[in-house]
Amino acid sequence: MSDLPASAKVIVVGGGIVGCSTAYHLAKRGIETLLVERHQLTAGSTWHAAGLVGQLRTSANITKLLGYSVELYRKLEAETGQATGWKMNGGLRLACNEDRWIEVKRQATTARSFGLEMHLLSPGEARDLWPLMAIDDLVGAAFLPTDGQASPSDITQALAKGARMAGAKMAETVSVSDFVIENGRVRGIVTDRGVVRAEKVVLCGGLWTRVLAAKAGVNVPLYPIRHQYIMTEAIPGVTSSLPTLRDPDRLTYCKEEVGGLVMGGYEPNPIPWSGQSAPEDFAFRLLDDDFDHFEPIMELALGRVPALAETGVKQMINGLESFTPDGNWMIGEAPEAPGLFIGAGFNAFGIASAGGAGMALAEWVADGEPPYDLWPVDIRRFGKNHLDTGFVRDRTLEAYARHYTIAWPAEEFNSCRPLRRSPLYDRLKAKGACFGEKLGFERPNWFAAEGETPVDRYSFTKPGWFEAVGREHKACREAAVVFDQTSFAKAYVIGKDAEQALGWICANDVAKPPGKVIYTQMLNARGGIETDLTLTRLAQDRYYIVIGTGFATHDMDWIRRNIPQGLDAHLVDVTSGFSALSLMGPKSRDILARLTDADVSNEALPFGTAKQIQIGGAPVLAIRITYVGELGWELHVPTEFAAKLYDALFEAGAGLGLADAGYRAIESLRLEKGYRAWGSDIGPDHNPYQAGLGFTVKLKSGIPFLGRDALVAAKAKPLPRLMAGFTVDDPGAVLLGRETIYRNGERVGWLSSGGFGYTVGKAIGYGYVRREAGVDADFVLSGSYELEIATERFPATVSLHPFHDPKGERIRA
């Protein structure tokens, strides 16, 4: 295009593969779309991408998105007449030690859970598919026949042509310098050819996204890192049907390219770019070859593919790629700027992701919500700690270095720590706390006893903290424990219309008197659970909200967006103003009664109520709620009083068995009680009835609320799935989540979460039992079940009730 239009319904900024895919899918929806690119299409990092297309991820929905990419790429050339270089030659993943082999076998089970074909092979069978490789150190391999590879530039041009065929307009050599913002909403772009207005803007700027998004006050935590690979001369025996090869123990990958190989890897000492983004004129450019840095990768590859030693190198590619602090890409509407959508940070697998990511972004733009739960890549998973460029750079370097390391269960990042700290951090550290980190916040995961070292030792079987967590679990069930949950996000909803606003957003009834505590979900228009949390009504015009640490950005964004216009109701973030100490266990009332003159009896302070009390001069909001199933309170106190409160609790708990406990004990305790965890057990794809939480919905009241119509419609039909709990008697069974559920020999779902219940002495897991014809309690309970763990099936017992429920205490978010 030579002239820009004055406006478009949607503008896509960035002409890489993700931007072109987004424009393609928007145009296919019949939406007027303009794509602008600073240079030419593919000029950023797309043109030099390696082009591997794998599918399996730990999330069912992200795997589904990548599967969509495969289906799109298969048909795109026929649709557009533009060559794509697509071929479905399959993908091999190797294992060179027993721990990696366990990981691969668990991946095979995950693939089976998600309906993706994956075969385990012996070393000899793997060499039959890839004859050039040495197998002397190989334990086994996995083969995914529907993986493939593509030509990045060609497939991008095909998407662009398809977009134009559907009516999209594309303008190259248009530089975007800013955004048009009106009343806090993005309404267009400022370019070197003038202003173009739009209803919505999608920013797919690759390496430049972080800097450009900041113009609209939006944080996009990504960082450019140098990524190298080589292209070899032709090698005898390399055929066009050779599968892609991933050799994570040697940190390398290979794919066929014109009779030779593309070989690259993920080194443990990556080199970042020197600034926040690439220079503006960094189009179709590469960095100088760095053979010294690449040499260790080359040596590892030679051990697997000896023919490389006798083969010439046609070219080394040293380019910049956008990586993120957790290794996942990010899409979605920016919480800071409504109307601006982000698609960026693809961690060198943008070619594999782009088809599905573009589809999801287009759906999100068109419908106001994603096609399904995309929490693992939702931009709202980040927080204030990700505003700092140094944090983003250092954590991203760590994530890059881990790309091919074994993904241990419950593994923590180590960089940029400690950052956010509770007032009790030093006290807890001195008492043996081994900390984890969530959204930059240090949280005690478990406590080492005398003679133990508070350092995580990871395992696919029994981790190093197993016994310590068992002690804390037992103390909570039999005496009392204190959990430091200061990292909770906390907020007030204030205003004369606070009840009306929350009444619309919340599925449960919030029209309660001051002092009542309400556990509730907040639903989307489809009836799916966007969040679950607790509200404490403090006054007619004030509620206190407690949100899980990792969901702070997401949940507060959801609440702000859905307060009906015109109401006097305002969300105020007070996270840093309060600490939260959870006192839990059968002796918790005895301890609390020693500390306050307030009546804390069950009659005066029953479950689901809250009271302002004084403890040693500290003003404490005592909230009677639980996520571990025992008698207890969350004690919320202004931050400056936290140390005093903590010391007072342990002074009063002397002789009553009071102990410190961490988040891994919380997880074990909640599994026994059957409490759901958002982000794994429940989410936007599940309504409360499917999750077994229908008791928290005010449907019978007739009160309107967001998602109500969808729930009414859902109740009129059989449930497509129902959450159930499972235990496995075999002591060798380790449940982590994503294990396949078999009912009467038929695959019916997978576990959403798993762990060990120390009171019941068994592995426990939760997952949805699925059937197209519908599921009810009788169907679930009448079946005979097995769980597949790392390709091996174990008999399992099913239940729709808690596995440990002596007190009958109800749920807490």
Side-chain angles (χ1 to χ4, degrees):
M1 290 179 60
S2 58
D3 296 317
L4 287 181
S7 65
K9 192 173 183 69
V10 179
I11 298 172
V12 178
V13 179
I17 190 169
V18 177
C20 288
S21 177
T22 303
Y24 170 90
H25 287 94
L26 285 167
K28 287 286 191 178
R29 289 281 301 253
I31 296 171
E32 180 194 19
T33 302
L34 169 68
L35 182 146
V36 297
E37 160 59 41
R38 175 185 289 158
H39 301 290
Q40 286 82 42
L41 300 185
T42 78
S45 56
T46 294
W47 72 276
H48 61 71
L52 282 69
V53 180
Q55 298 169 80
L56 182 62
R57 297 294 185 270
T58 56
S59 159
N61 284 349
I62 304 306
T63 299
K64 183 177 178 181
L65 273 189
L66 299 178
Y68 175 89
S69 291
V70 167
E71 292 305 310
L72 175 65
Y73 299 164
R74 291 176 71 176
K75 67 181 184 181
L76 198 57
E77 184 170 342
E79 175 188 331
T80 65
Q82 166 73 44
T84 62
W86 168 253
K87 57 182 178 182
M88 189 183 290
N89 50 342
L92 265 175
R93 179 174 288 266
L94 308 182
C96 301
N97 57 68
E98 288 303 324
D99 283 328
R100 181 73 73 178
W101 185 230
I102 293 173
E103 181 186 50
V104 168
K105 288 191 290 184
R106 282 191 168 272
Q107 289 170 341
T109 288
T110 297
R112 199 159 296 144
S113 292
F114 299 165
L116 185 64
E117 187 178 357
M118 184 172 179
H119 305 286
L120 294 181
L121 307 178
S122 68
E125 290 169 328
R127 186 170 55 186
D128 290 342
L129 288 174
W130 227 88
L132 283 79
M133 83 173 148
I135 61 171
D136 52 304
D137 64 337
L138 211 58
V139 176
F143 180 61
L144 290 94
T146 57
D147 280 0
Q149 62 187 69
S151 166
S153 293
D154 288 343
I155 210 158
T156 303
Q157 293 292 349
L159 287 165
K161 184 175 181 180
R164 288 191 292 264
M165 289 168 62
K169 298 177 181 178
M170 297 197 170
E172 296 177 308
T173 67
V174 176
S175 179
V176 177
S177 60
D178 210 340
F179 299 93
V180 177
I181 301 176
E182 296 174 354
N183 298 319
R185 188 174 185 87
V186 172
R187 291 296 189 185
I189 57 174
V190 179
T191 81
D192 56 355
R193 296 198 215 167
V195 171
V196 186
R197 298 185 62 83
E199 292 182 13
K200 296 174 182 177
V201 176
V202 187
L203 179 53
C204 304
L207 297 163
W208 298 272
T209 304
R210 180 171 173 83
V211 171
L212 187 53
K215 303 272 189 176
V218 171
N219 183 37
V220 180
L222 58 78
Y223 206 84
I225 296 179
R226 302 166 188 242
H227 186 69
Q228 295 189 101
Y229 64 85
I230 60 170
M231 300 172 64
T232 76
E233 303 286 356
I235 301 176
V238 173
T239 64
S240 61
S241 61
L242 196 70
T244 60
L245 181 74
R246 292 174 178 83
D247 190 358
D249 292 309
R250 290 179 177 267
L251 308 179
T252 56
Y253 60 82
C254 294
K255 75 158 190 170
E256 183 273 338
E257 183 87 8
V258 198
L261 290 176
V262 165
M263 188 280 288
Y266 288 84
E267 63 276 21
N269 57 336
I271 302 175
W273 182 243
S274 56
Q276 289 191 45
S277 70
E280 290 188 5
D281 63 350
F282 199 80
F284 296 113
R285 282 174 55 187
L286 295 172
L287 304 170
D288 292 339
D289 296 342
D290 189 344
F291 284 101
D292 289 342
H293 194 69
F294 193 73
E295 184 177 5
I297 292 290
M298 190 70 190
E299 289 179 355
L300 289 167
L302 288 172
R304 179 67 60 219
V305 188
L308 286 172
E310 309 299 326
T311 303
V313 175
K314 287 198 299 187
Q315 186 180 9
M316 171 174 274
I317 303 292
N318 187 2
L320 288 178
E321 298 272 4
S322 299
F323 289 84
T324 66
D326 62 1
N328 273 331
W329 34 281
M330 63 192 95
I331 62 173
E333 190 169 11
E336 306 95 332
L340 180 62
F341 291 75
I342 305 296
F346 280 82
N347 296 273
F349 53 92
I351 308 306
S353 308
M359 177 274 290
L361 264 173
E363 297 284 316
W364 209 326
V365 169
D367 300 334
E369 60 183 14
Y372 34 76
D373 180 11
L374 295 176
W375 174 244
V377 295
D378 192 315
I379 192 169
R380 293 170 294 179
R381 71 187 186 273
F382 297 112
K384 294 177 181 177
N385 52 308
H386 297 100
L387 287 165
D388 180 70
T389 298
F391 181 97
V392 171
R393 180 193 61 240
D394 293 350
R395 180 59 59 86
T396 299
L397 288 170
E398 183 181 6
Y400 178 105
R402 288 188 180 191
H403 187 87
Y404 274 156
T405 62
I406 292 174
W408 298 109
E411 187 175 12
E412 296 279 354
F413 282 100
N414 298 314
S415 56
C416 310
R417 297 179 57 187
L419 181 60
R420 303 173 72 187
R421 282 175 271 187
S422 157
L424 306 177
Y425 176 81
D426 291 332
R427 278 174 169 77
L428 301 181
K429 185 176 181 180
K431 293 176 74 174
C434 183
F435 291 92
E437 179 258 345
K438 182 69 68 68
L439 225 59
F441 224 123
E442 294 294 317
R443 313 191 311 170
N445 275 340
W446 58 277
F447 287 81
E450 188 174 349
E452 294 177 342
T453 304
V455 175
D456 283 333
R457 289 183 287 110
Y458 300 110
S459 172
F460 285 112
T461 54
K462 185 177 287 188
W465 58 82
F466 185 85
E467 301 298 336
V469 173
R471 293 193 301 266
E472 296 166 23
H473 182 115
K474 179 180 174 67
C476 187
R477 288 279 184 251
E478 297 180 1
V481 297
V482 172
F483 300 106
D484 180 10
Q485 297 189 283
T486 296
S487 64
F488 275 152
K490 306 152 213 107
Y492 290 129
V493 174
I494 301 172
K496 65 181 178 62
D497 298 323
E499 179 185 307
Q500 184 180 348
L502 288 172
W504 168 251
I505 302 172
C506 296
N508 207 343
D509 185 7
V510 302
K512 304 293 185 182
K516 289 295 291 183
V517 181
I518 306 110
Y519 165 74
T520 185
Q521 295 98 44
M522 295 179 175
L523 310 180
N524 56 39
R526 295 178 281 114
I529 302 170
E530 285 290 340
T531 179
D532 70 333
L533 43 75
T534 54
L535 310 171
T536 299
R537 189 160 201 176
L538 301 178
Q540 289 301 116
D541 63 349
R542 182 173 301 230
Y543 290 81
Y544 181 64
I545 299 179
V546 181
I547 297 168
T549 306
F551 313 127
T553 305
H554 173 278
D555 289 10
M556 292 193 191
D557 176 65
W558 183 262
I559 294 168
R560 287 191 184 101
R561 287 178 184 270
N562 287 288
I563 293 176
Q565 286 189 351
L567 294 188
D568 177 22
H570 311 278
L571 183 74
V572 181
D573 184 351
V574 295
T575 298
S576 297
F578 293 91
S579 288
L581 304 184
S582 292
L583 174 65
M584 299 286 159
K587 297 182 181 179
S588 58
R589 179 177 286 116
D590 298 334
I591 294 169
L592 197 59
R594 293 180 176 185
L595 291 169
T596 180
D597 294 333
D599 187 350
V600 294
S601 67
N602 191 60
E603 293 72 25
L605 193 51
F607 186 83
T609 63
K611 180 187 290 187
Q612 194 73 41
I613 64 175
Q614 296 294 128
I615 296 179
V620 176
L621 179 63
I623 301 175
R624 175 87 183 277
I625 203 78
T626 183
Y627 191 49
V628 298
E630 298 294 338
L631 171 69
W633 287 264
E634 286 179 9
L635 304 175
H636 292 254
V637 62
T639 303
E640 66 270 25
F641 293 99
K644 171 66 175 178
L645 174 61
Y646 177 83
D647 293 343
L649 287 171
F650 273 89
E651 184 178 344
L656 293 177
L658 183 64
D660 291 291
Y663 272 79
R664 291 191 176 136
I666 292 175
E667 178 67 7
S668 170
L669 292 156
R670 75 97 185 166
L671 286 169
E672 289 188 337
K673 289 290 294 187
Y675 295 151
R676 284 34 171 166
W678 195 91
S680 54
D681 302 323
I682 57 177
D685 293 343
H686 312 297
N687 70 43
Y689 299 107
Q690 296 162 353
L693 298 173
F695 66 91
T696 67
V697 177
K698 60 189 176 196
L699 204 61
K700 293 181 180 178
S701 70
I703 299 171
F705 61 90
L706 180 58
R708 185 183 191 279
D709 292 344
L711 292 191
V712 171
K715 285 209 74 176
K717 299 180 291 186
L719 292 174
R721 55 189 174 273
L722 184 63
M723 172 155 279
F726 300 88
T727 57
V728 179
D729 291 338
D730 191 314
V734 177
L735 300 180
L736 302 173
R738 299 180 301 279
E739 293 83 1
T740 316
I741 304 169
Y742 288 91
R743 179 187 180 275
N744 297 342
E746 179 185 0
R747 179 169 58 89
V748 293
W750 61 88
L751 296 188
S752 51
S753 63
F756 189 79
Y758 292 86
T759 305
V760 300
K762 299 176 184 179
I764 298 174
Y766 290 89
Y768 289 89
V769 176
R770 303 159 187 259
R771 185 174 66 153
E772 280 190 27
V775 177
D776 59 15
D778 288 341
F779 175 82
V780 170
L781 296 175
S782 63
S784 175
Y785 287 89
E786 293 175 303
L787 298 178
E788 182 183 309
I789 307 169
T791 71
E792 183 181 353
R793 293 195 193 183
F794 292 79
T797 302
V798 69
S799 177
L800 295 177
H801 298 288
F803 293 107
H804 180 74
D805 195 22
K807 301 294 182 184
E809 291 278 34
R810 294 175 68 193
I811 197 164
R812 180 252 172 293

